[in-house]
Amino acid sequence: MGMSVTISGATEQDAEQILKLQFLCYQSEAELYGDYSIEPLTQSLASLKAELASGTVLVARLGDEVVASVRGAVDADGTARIDKLIVHPRMQRHGLGGRLLDAIEARLSDGGAVKSFQLFTGHRSEHNLQLYRRHGYEAVARRHVHERLTLVTLAKPVEAGAFVASA
């Protein structure tokens, strides 16, 4: 019998698994842009634990294994910033990233203060861009980081009544 993937809030006990998964998942991004000094590859365990304590972090589990994760926080202006959506390479292209994106949007919207969602990705990260566009995000800004990287900021408004269940 196969196991199903469950999505839930992350705990401090998940920190090491999330950090290892993050390191694995961002290897392809670092290779794509020729930059292995990106923050997801250099983040410390202490820094991740601080994010777990201060923001909203969700994980997707297959049994006891964390196979995906996403983070988010809501600014004072009502913008929900979504960050570090990662899915284990063997679990990609099966809809898990979309499920996690929907779950973090629902969780962040739960208090009713969110007016819009925002996230960013690199300009060459076509799979990421396609996923975000399928979920209603549109490019709103570009920031040139260096000759190999331009960050694309994508956003979408919160639709009234769009979220009826939280993860």
Side-chain angles (χ1 to χ4, degrees):
M1 176 188 287
M3 287 187 271
S4 63
V5 174
T6 59
I7 296 174
S8 63
T11 67
E12 187 174 332
Q13 290 73 32
D14 296 322
E16 285 187 38
Q17 280 193 69
I18 294 169
L19 196 61
K20 287 176 184 175
L21 180 62
Q22 177 177 304
F23 189 81
L24 173 66
C25 291
Y26 275 94
Q27 292 296 315
S28 59
E29 291 292 300
E31 182 178 349
L32 186 60
Y33 297 102
D35 185 358
Y36 287 86
S37 66
I38 58 176
E39 188 270 341
L41 296 181
T42 60
Q43 184 175 23
S44 70
L45 184 59
S47 171
L48 176 56
K49 286 182 178 182
E51 286 183 28
L52 283 165
S54 66
T56 300
V57 182
L58 299 180
V59 293
R61 299 176 200 281
L62 184 61
D64 293 333
E65 180 186 6
V66 172
V67 294
S69 180
V70 65
R71 298 171 216 177
V74 180
D75 291 352
D77 68 356
T79 301
R81 303 198 188 277
I82 298 171
D83 195 25
K84 294 186 180 81
L85 174 61
I86 55 175
V87 178
H88 193 289
R90 78 171 188 272
M91 301 292 292
Q92 292 176 3
R93 316 282 182 266
H94 297 288
L96 186 53
R99 282 181 55 202
L100 211 49
L101 186 56
D102 290 345
I104 194 77
E105 288 175 356
R107 182 70 61 95
L108 294 172
S109 298
D110 204 24
V114 174
K115 297 174 185 164
S116 66
F117 297 102
Q118 193 172 83
L119 45 76
F120 65 89
T121 192
H123 71 287
R124 294 181 187 163
S125 302
E126 269 310 310
H127 291 292
N128 296 350
L129 289 165
Q130 288 173 10
L131 170 68
Y132 301 144
R133 286 184 191 122
R134 277 195 311 271
H135 284 262
Y137 287 82
E138 294 182 8
V140 295
R142 292 178 171 269
R143 182 171 62 89
H144 180 76
V145 177
H146 54 69
E147 68 276 354
R148 294 179 311 267
L149 174 62
T150 298
L151 288 178
V152 180
T153 301
L154 298 104
K156 77 173 185 179
V158 171
E159 298 174 28
F163 303 105
V164 293
S166 64

